[in-house]
């Protein structure tokens, strides 16, 4: 019901002054990939001269949508209108011709060329039909740079530029090709806070000059500070269009994640006093000897879910790989009182550590192998998969069938290859596999990333019932509500160090979010109680 | 997102049903067409040439030669395929089998033992030498990260040099009577592997080693498909990252696989040595390892596929002899072999893409038939903004904007 009410506000937010067509309008865009619907009935109206933000969680379908708008993918259904006229993009070149330009999250610049050379690459102005007219190019670049206050020096080498300057070069490159509508894909992901501020100043300058900007992000505070209008995508479809003045970050977060969240109040603590996994002084070094994980210590008790919150890339992946024995590390890890620091990955798995990897395609599955062979993966020394040195096909197949039924893996059979399943069903298979063989500890890295709502709820249920049965879980997630909802205790990781302990019963995603960025206080003096009233909303997140 | 082209090239992706048969057949037909065009362009009658090849290949003497050469090719291709299954490119089968055959011939010639034991020891020596030589490349890869492609190519050159040094009259060789050839001391009858007359109408015998080759094929299948070790190998070949996460020690697997591949390579020279020449001399066949690479690709690393590929290759090689007599350059057969390999790879790739799309379509169709509701509209996606779990505390905290 409420969704309908929000959608009504779409029209008010999207309605322009009489006579002005929206710069971009999407109607009922649907895109299916085998086994999964990436976009479903997307509706979007972007007003000219606006910074229009599109927000959503990882895997919500933002990137697919932008690829459709930029001509890299073609929609199965629906209509795209640019400045009121229906368009059909076959390639990005069509989109560029229609005045749409894209600034990718990862820069596409040649380091050893100058700014000017990078900008004109592929669309060089010609002189007498042959030679490149550098003077003309320099003049135009200067003109664009001055008009929008980008401050780009044409003759600097790109390799000498900082990240912010490179991004401005990317923007100028797009403008140089005549774009009037810019798509920026998570432009702040690579920037430090001051650079973010500069970028936002640039963006405001661009829209003042009449350009339109579509800004993709999942950082709510940035969106609220720069956007003129916001559209929220969840599970592949647009769920709301709102104006920043009408919403709070909290409300946006709710719109992004929906209401299918576990509710912490309904559970009783199952934490026992037995320590299942203990990590002490764990340090993982990078290639240069610099610690990526720096002296991390924690205990997980039987029946406890310990959540690790942190902005991605702060050492979570390395921490997990060190615990799994996939990455050399200093420090002591004990499993049920036994020191397993020197154990191989296989022995740790045999010892009772289950592992739901962050990237199921790279670490969790053999995509080309049938499901029953995937059941064996990681359990290839244990019953019912093997008998001595032989693979027990019958046993493995029967147990795969059991997992498929018990974990509701939607598949026509256990002989289809794993790649044919949707992400959610692949993940349910992995969860089922890792829960079998009576694990003592489960390392769950982003267990519900990129899975559909039904699968997410099912996976949460499985994690909760396993916890009630005495399983110790290390939960790493980017979904703060998932972390808060499932965890019995929470730790915040920042630059490889545990900087805060948080009580999940008394924290909001916003406060947790600011603690993750170090904005919650002095990170050198971590104290369990530091996340008190001193934490000021989420305004500092960057 | 799914398999890479290399994976498919190396046959780690299954193709099932009639399509798997159709692909190579079409490829062979296509190669025949290409060859015919080239024949016609060079002024040779295509149909007549193909008829010559068919006729000559059907003679019983030629058939024996085809089976014998195919036996050698088969073992060579299996040796290569063992590495391929784990993404290891053992280009060094050539050096491994030549060195192994030389040392085994010398040992076999020097020993005096009862018959079955004599053969057994000679074969064991060959297996050990092949495995040892390959283990150098394996160790280099595991300890120093040297690409096995580079190291095995280098080791081929070193094996050639080492062989030339060993095969002198000062060391392992003796003069072959009645020629200026030199070779190892001939293996006495007790160390020879008896052949048998399989094809009627000729005195020529089929290598007894064909039985060993067949057993090797069975062992290969069982190892890869039925054992834990084979599972680890296949897993590593399909996705090294997933194998590591599942607890496979990739370094150990690389070393063992390399040694296994080399050990099989050690057998490549055995049919010839124990069934025909009984001595390793200067004219011992070379280059079998490289042919093995092509045949392993052709057979997609499956034992049956490799057998068919080896027979086809051997057939073309043997029946090409007739072309010279008819004044047609026999190199036309090499063009044909090359075209077959290329078109088989392309045909498999096309079939694979078709099948992937078909399977994903089939699965989503079957699933949507089971449950009428589209994905994503599960029981939980009703009203979207129900009671919020965390709204009791500080719901105004996020208002700062």
């Amino acid at each position: 019901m409420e969704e309908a009410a929000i959608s009504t506000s779409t029209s008010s937010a999207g309605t322009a002054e009489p006579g002005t067509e929206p710069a971009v309008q999407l109607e009922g865009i649907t895109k299916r990939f085998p086994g999964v619907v990436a976009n479903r009935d997307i509706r979007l109206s972007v007003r000219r001269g606006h910074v229009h933000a599109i927000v959503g969680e990882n895997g919500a379908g933002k990137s697919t949508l932008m690829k459709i708008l930029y001509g890299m993918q073609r929609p199965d259904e629906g209509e795209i209108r640019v400045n009121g006229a229906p368009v059909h993009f076959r390639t990005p070149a069509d989109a560029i011709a229609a005045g749409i330009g894209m600034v990718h999250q990862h820069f596409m610049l040649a380091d050893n060329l100058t700014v000017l050379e990078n900008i004109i690459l592929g669309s060089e102005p010609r002189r007498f039909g042959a030679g490149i007219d550098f003077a003309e190019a320099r003049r135009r670049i200067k003109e664009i740079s001055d008009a929008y206050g980008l401050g780009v020096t044409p003759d600097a080498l790109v390799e000498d530029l900082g990240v912010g300057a490179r991004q401005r070069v990317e923007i100028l490159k797009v403008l140089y090709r005549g774009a009037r509508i810019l798509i920026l894909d998570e432009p702040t992901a690579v920037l430090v806070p001051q650079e973010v501020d500069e970028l936002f100043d640039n963006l405001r300058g661009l829209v003042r000059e009449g350009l339109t900007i579509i800004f993709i992000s999942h950082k709510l505070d940035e969106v609220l500070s720069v956007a003129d209008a916001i559209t929220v995508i969840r599970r592949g479809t647009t769920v709301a269009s709102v104006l920043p003045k009408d919403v709070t970050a909290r409300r946006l977060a709710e719109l992004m994640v929906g209401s299918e969240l576990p509710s912490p109040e309904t559970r009783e603590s199952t934490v026992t006093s037995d320590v299942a996994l203990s990590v002490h002084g764990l340090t993982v070094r990078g290639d240069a000897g610099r610690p990526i994980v720096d002296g991390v210590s924690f205990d997980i008790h039987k029946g406890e879910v310990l959540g690790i919150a942190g902005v991605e890339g702060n050492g979570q992946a390395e921490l997990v790989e060190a615990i799994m024995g996939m990455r050399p590390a200093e420090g002591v890890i004990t499993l049920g009182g036994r020191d397993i620091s020197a154990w191989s990955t296989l022995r740790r798995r045999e010892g009772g550590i289950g592992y739901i990897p962050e990237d199921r395609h790279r670490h969790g599955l053999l995509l080309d192998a049938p499901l029953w062979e995937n059941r064996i993966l990681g359990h290839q020394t244990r019953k019912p998969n093997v008998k001595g040195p032989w693979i027990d096909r019958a046993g493995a197949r029967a147990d795969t069938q059991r997992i498929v039924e018990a974990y509701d893996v939607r598949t026509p059979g256990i002989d289809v290859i794993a790649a044919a399943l949707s992400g959610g069903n692949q993940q349910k298979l992995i969860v089922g596999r890792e829960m079998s063989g009576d694990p003592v500890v489960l390392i769950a890295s982003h267990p519900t990333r990129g899975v559909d709502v039904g699968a997410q709820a099912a996976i949460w249920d499985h994690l909760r019932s396993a916890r009630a049965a005495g399983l110790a879980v290390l939960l790493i997630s980017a979904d703060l509500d998932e972390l808060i909802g499932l965890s019995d205790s929470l730790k915040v990781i920042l630059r490889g160090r545990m900087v805060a302990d948080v009580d999940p019963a008394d924290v909001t995603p916003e406060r947790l979010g600011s603690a993750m960025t170090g904005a919650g206080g002095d990170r050198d003096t971590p104290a369990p109680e530091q996340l008190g009233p001193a934490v000021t909303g989420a305004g500092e997140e960057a | 997102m799914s398999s890479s082209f290399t994976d498919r090239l190396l046959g780690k992706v299954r193709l099932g049903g009639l399509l798997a048969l159709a692909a190579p057949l079409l490829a062979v037909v296509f190669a025949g067409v290409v060859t015919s065009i080239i024949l016609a362009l060079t002024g040779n009658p295509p149909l007549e040439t193909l008829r010559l090849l068919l006729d000559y290949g059907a003679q019983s003497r030629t058939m024996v030669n085809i089976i014998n050469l195919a036996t050698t090719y088969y073992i060579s291709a299996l040796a290569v395929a063992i590495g391929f299954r784990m993404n290891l490119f053992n280009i060094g089968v050539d050096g491994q089998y030549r060195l192994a055959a030389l040392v085994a011939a010398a040992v076999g010639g020097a020993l005096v033992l009862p018959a079955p034991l004599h053969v057994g020891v000679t074969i064991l020596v060959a297996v050990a030498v092949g495995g040892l030589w390959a283990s150098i490349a394996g160790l280099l890869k595991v300890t120093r990260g040297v690409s096995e492609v580079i190291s095995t190519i280098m080791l081929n050159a070193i094996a050639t040099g080492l062989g030339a040094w060993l095969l002198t009259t000062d060391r392992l060789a003796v003069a072959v009577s009645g020629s200026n050839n030199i070779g190892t001391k001939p293996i006495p009858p007790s160390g020879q592997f008896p052949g048998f007359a399989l094809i009627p109408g000729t005195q020529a015998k089929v290598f007894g080693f064909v039985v060993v080759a067949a057993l090797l094929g069975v062992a290969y299948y069982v190892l890869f498909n039925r054992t834990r070790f084979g599972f680890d190998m296949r897993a590593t070949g399909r996705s090294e990252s997933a194998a590591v996460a599942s607890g496979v020690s990739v370094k150990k697997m690389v070393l063992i696989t390399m040694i296994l591949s080399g050990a099989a390579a050690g057998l490549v020279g055995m049919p010839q040595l124990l069934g025909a020449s009984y001595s390793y001399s200067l004219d011992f066949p070379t280059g079998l390892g490289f042919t093995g690479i092509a045949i392993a690709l052709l057979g997609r690393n499956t034992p049956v596929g490799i057998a068919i590929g080896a027979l086809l290759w051997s057939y073309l090689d043997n029946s090409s002899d007739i072309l010279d007599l008819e004044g047609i350059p026999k190199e036309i057969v090499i063009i044909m072999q090359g075209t077959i390999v290329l078109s088989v790879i392309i045909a498999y790739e096309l079939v694979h893409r078709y099948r992937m799309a078909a399977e994903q379509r089939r699965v989503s169709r079957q699933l949507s038939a089971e449950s009428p509701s589209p994905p994503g509209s599960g029981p939980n996606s009703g009203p979207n903004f129900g009671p919020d779990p965390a709204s009791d505390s500080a719901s105004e905290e996020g208002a700062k904007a």
Side-chain angles (χ1 to χ4, degrees):
Chain A
M1 293 302 107
E2 214 169 333
E3 184 170 2
I6 293 277
S7 298
T8 322
S9 74
T10 308
S11 41
S12 63
T15 307
E17 296 112 50
T20 329
E21 295 284 354
V24 175
Q25 201 162 12
L26 303 181
E27 280 293 337
I29 297 287
T30 297
K31 176 73 184 173
R32 297 179 196 86
F33 292 116
V36 60
V37 181
N39 280 162
R40 179 162 43 93
D41 195 24
I42 294 263
R43 290 167 195 282
L44 177 66
S45 179
V46 181
R47 205 172 124 185
R48 189 169 307 141
H50 263 186
V51 176
H52 193 113
I54 296 178
V55 299
E57 288 184 287
N58 284 333
K62 299 178 304 242
S63 296
T64 306
L65 179 61
M66 288 308 111
K67 283 178 180 165
I68 288 172
L69 189 52
Y70 191 52
M72 293 160 80
Q73 302 265 2
R74 294 173 69 182
D76 297 329
E77 290 166 24
E79 190 179 55
I80 306 173
R81 281 197 293 275
V82 175
N83 298 324
V87 289
H88 297 280
F89 297 148
R90 284 163 194 284
T91 64
D94 295 343
I96 293 168
I100 297 178
M102 179 133 166
V103 176
H104 295 271
Q105 186 178 350
H106 302 286
F107 302 149
M108 301 188 175
L109 297 172
D111 280 357
N112 52 350
L113 298 183
T114 64
V115 168
L116 182 143
E117 287 164 339
N118 264 292
I119 290 172
I120 65 172
L121 196 66
S123 57
E124 299 86 350
R126 296 292 179 181
R127 193 166 44 180
F128 314 123
I132 297 175
D133 191 345
F134 281 107
E136 166 67 10
R138 191 168 287 113
R139 190 188 61 74
R140 276 195 57 202
I141 290 169
K142 200 93 187 82
E143 193 179 290
I144 299 169
S145 176
D146 291 347
Y148 301 110
L150 292 175
V152 165
T153 348
D155 292 309
L157 267 182
V158 166
E159 63 186 356
D160 298 332
L161 299 182
V163 177
R166 283 180 197 217
Q167 193 164 48
R168 289 196 293 277
V169 174
E170 285 276 12
I171 293 174
L172 211 155
K173 199 165 102 183
V174 172
L175 295 174
Y176 183 86
R177 282 156 177 75
R180 302 289 295 165
I181 301 162
L182 266 64
I183 305 170
L184 273 70
D185 188 4
E186 309 226 353
T188 59
V190 289
L191 302 181
V192 299
Q194 300 90 315
E195 290 173 326
V196 171
D197 293 340
E198 286 173 24
L199 172 71
F200 286 178
D201 286 343
N202 290 143
L203 296 187
R204 291 189 191 100
L206 292 171
V207 293
R208 255 199 311 276
E209 300 297 322
L211 269 64
T212 308
I213 290 169
I214 300 175
F215 179 92
I216 303 166
S217 182
H218 56 249
K219 295 185 182 166
L220 302 181
D221 322 293
E222 295 177 3
V223 164
L224 287 172
S225 79
V226 75
D228 298 306
I230 301 169
T231 296
V232 183
I233 296 190
R234 183 172 77 231
R235 306 277 172 223
T237 193
T238 40
V239 292
S241 285
V242 292
L243 296 177
K245 65 178 166 57
D246 297 339
V247 289
T248 60
R250 155 132 218 98
R251 182 81 185 118
L252 267 186
E254 285 172 13
L255 289 169
M256 266 168 66
V257 298
S259 62
E260 328 77 21
L261 299 171
S263 84
E265 299 92 328
T266 59
R267 307 174 313 168
E268 287 164 17
S269 174
T270 57
V271 181
T272 63
S273 57
D274 297 350
V275 175
L277 182 79
S278 167
V279 170
H280 188 77
L282 192 75
T283 298
V284 178
R285 294 189 187 279
D287 291 334
R290 188 180 53 84
I292 302 172
V293 176
D294 195 354
V296 166
S297 303
F298 56 79
D299 289 339
I300 311 179
H301 302 88
K302 284 185 180 169
E304 179 183 11
V305 177
L306 173 66
I308 305 279
V311 175
E312 268 178 73
N314 274 287
Q316 298 95 318
E318 290 78 9
L319 172 65
V320 166
E321 289 182 11
I323 295 174
M324 286 311 297
M326 295 157 65
R327 191 181 269 274
E330 302 150 30
V332 180
I333 306 170
T334 54
L335 177 68
R338 282 184 298 173
D339 184 352
I340 63 165
S341 313
W343 288 16
S344 69
T345 304
L346 182 67
R347 211 165 151 211
R348 291 180 199 207
R349 275 180 161 281
E350 287 171 341
I353 305 186
Y355 176 36
I356 302 173
E358 171 179 350
D359 183 340
R360 58 178 165 267
H361 289 172
R362 268 174 53 74
H363 291 118
L365 293 169
L366 302 172
L367 287 171
D368 293 319
L371 300 189
W372 68 268
E373 287 197 0
N374 275 290
R375 161 68 184 92
I376 301 175
L377 191 71
H379 299 249
Q380 57 263 54
T381 52
R382 277 177 275 173
K383 283 182 187 266
N385 301 323
V386 290
K387 281 183 184 154
W390 304 99
I391 293 282
D392 182 355
R393 287 191 170 212
R397 293 178 63 93
D399 202 57
T400 311
Q401 195 62 48
R402 175 190 66 80
I403 292 175
V404 163
E405 281 158 20
Y407 288 79
D408 189 29
V409 181
R410 310 269 170 88
T411 172
I414 58 171
D415 286 307
V416 301
I417 58 171
L421 298 192
S422 72
N425 285 311
Q426 290 175 346
Q427 193 72 355
K428 283 189 278 187
L429 180 76
I430 292 176
V431 172
R433 177 182 75 196
E434 298 304 329
M435 294 285 195
S436 39
D438 296 324
V440 187
V441 173
L442 180 72
I443 314 286
S445 217
H446 304 279
T448 63
R449 168 174 285 179
V451 308
D452 60 83
V453 185
Q456 184 177 40
I459 290 169
W460 284 339
D461 281 344
H462 288 303
L463 288 178
R464 270 195 292 248
S465 51
R467 161 183 168 276
L471 184 73
V473 180
L474 178 67
L475 175 68
I476 285 135
S477 179
D479 182 338
L480 300 188
D481 292 299
E482 175 174 277
L483 274 177
I484 295 171
L486 286 179
S487 302
D488 295 298
S489 43
L490 267 172
K491 284 178 181 293
V492 179
I493 192 170
L494 181 68
R495 282 168 224 136
R497 298 168 66 186
M498 294 298 180
V499 293
D501 287 331
V502 182
D503 181 359
D506 186 34
V507 70
T508 62
E510 290 75 25
R511 281 174 28 203
L512 189 55
S514 46
M516 281 158 54
T517 59
D522 184 6
R523 71 178 181 85
D524 290 324
T525 55
E529 301 309 320
Q530 76 174 51
L531 286 176
V535 179
T536 54
E540 302 303 314
E541 186 184 345
Chain B
M1 110 174 189
S2 80
S3 59
S4 74
F5 175 71
T6 324
D7 289 344
R8 299 194 288 270
L9 179 68
L10 300 184
K12 284 192 291 271
V13 181
R14 294 181 318 155
L15 288 174
L18 286 173
L19 278 172
L21 284 177
L25 276 180
L26 279 175
V28 170
V29 170
F30 177 74
V33 171
V34 170
T35 317
S36 303
I37 293 172
I38 292 167
L39 280 169
L41 286 176
T42 51
N44 296 300
L47 288 176
E48 178 66 10
T49 309
L50 291 177
R51 197 187 56 76
L52 276 175
L53 285 177
L54 282 174
D55 281 356
Y56 184 72
Q59 288 174 19
S60 34
R61 202 185 145 69
T62 323
M63 279 166 77
V64 171
N65 288 339
I66 289 171
I67 294 175
N68 284 348
L69 186 60
T71 306
T72 306
Y73 285 168
Y74 185 66
I75 300 172
S76 171
L78 276 186
V80 175
I82 291 172
F84 274 173
R85 275 297 179 101
M86 240 189 67
N87 276 352
L88 285 173
F89 285 71
N90 183 3
I91 313 292
V93 169
D94 211 65
Q96 288 146 22
Y97 92 79
R98 282 188 279 121
L99 203 62
L102 169 59
V103 176
V107 172
L111 281 177
V112 182
L113 280 170
L117 207 57
H118 196 160
V119 174
V121 169
T122 314
I123 292 176
L124 270 182
V125 169
V127 167
V129 172
L132 268 175
W133 197 247
S135 73
I136 300 173
L139 282 172
L140 282 172
K141 185 178 177 77
V142 170
T143 56
R144 313 297 310 166
V146 180
S147 160
E148 78 284 0
V149 176
I150 310 284
S151 58
T152 50
I153 290 175
M154 302 279 196
L155 283 166
N156 278 345
I158 298 171
T160 305
L162 193 60
W165 179 76
L166 285 173
L167 196 66
T168 51
T169 45
D170 296 338
R171 295 180 186 87
L172 300 180
V174 293
V176 177
S177 56
S179 75
N180 56 2
N181 196 359
I182 55 168
T184 54
K185 197 168 153 224
I187 297 171
S190 65
Q192 299 176 1
F193 206 105
F196 48 88
L198 186 71
I199 310 287
T202 173
Q203 293 298 307
K205 284 186 172 173
V206 172
F207 287 155
F209 222 79
V210 73
V211 179
V212 178
L215 290 177
L216 213 57
V218 173
Y220 172 92
Y221 177 84
V222 170
L223 176 74
F224 275 104
N225 294 288
R226 300 288 166 156
T227 68
R228 218 178 80 194
F229 178 77
F231 181 86
D232 285 354
M233 263 171 117
R234 278 186 297 146
T236 312
R238 275 174 167 145
S239 168
E240 191 172 315
S241 49
V244 170
S246 80
V248 174
S249 163
V250 171
K251 286 188 171 184
K252 198 174 95 190
M253 297 303 292
V254 164
L255 188 58
I256 295 176
T257 308
M258 209 61 204
I259 291 173
L260 277 182
S261 178
L267 292 172
V268 170
M270 291 303 104
Q272 172 72 20
L273 181 72
L274 303 181
S277 62
Y278 311 122
S279 148
Y280 188 100
S281 56
L282 292 177
D283 57 359
F284 199 81
T286 59
L288 298 173
F290 299 114
T291 312
I293 297 173
I295 294 171
L297 287 176
L298 203 55
R300 291 178 62 79
N301 300 329
T302 62
V304 176
I306 293 173
I308 296 169
L311 281 168
L312 177 67
W313 208 272
S314 168
Y315 172 83
L316 290 171
D317 271 354
N318 277 296
S319 54
S320 69
D321 289 344
I322 191 69
L323 296 183
D324 266 348
L325 298 178
E326 302 287 331
I328 302 166
K330 67 185 286 186
E331 284 71 22
I332 198 77
V333 163
I334 297 173
I335 294 178
M336 200 161 172
Q337 288 170 333
T339 320
I340 290 175
V341 171
L342 278 180
S343 34
V344 161
I345 289 167
I346 293 168
Y348 275 129
E349 180 65 19
L350 292 177
V351 167
H352 172 82
R353 289 187 187 177
Y354 171 79
R355 261 184 38 101
M356 277 300 275
E359 172 132 337
Q360 289 182 330
R361 269 198 305 275
R362 185 176 65 84
V363 168
S364 51
R365 198 171 47 238
Q366 251 172 288
L367 290 178
S368 57
E370 277 170 26
S371 61
S373 59
S377 65
N380 287 304
S381 59
N384 277 295
F385 314 116
D388 184 74
S391 58
D392 54 328
S393 63
S395 58
E396 294 310 306
E397 283 284 353
K400 185 171 181 276

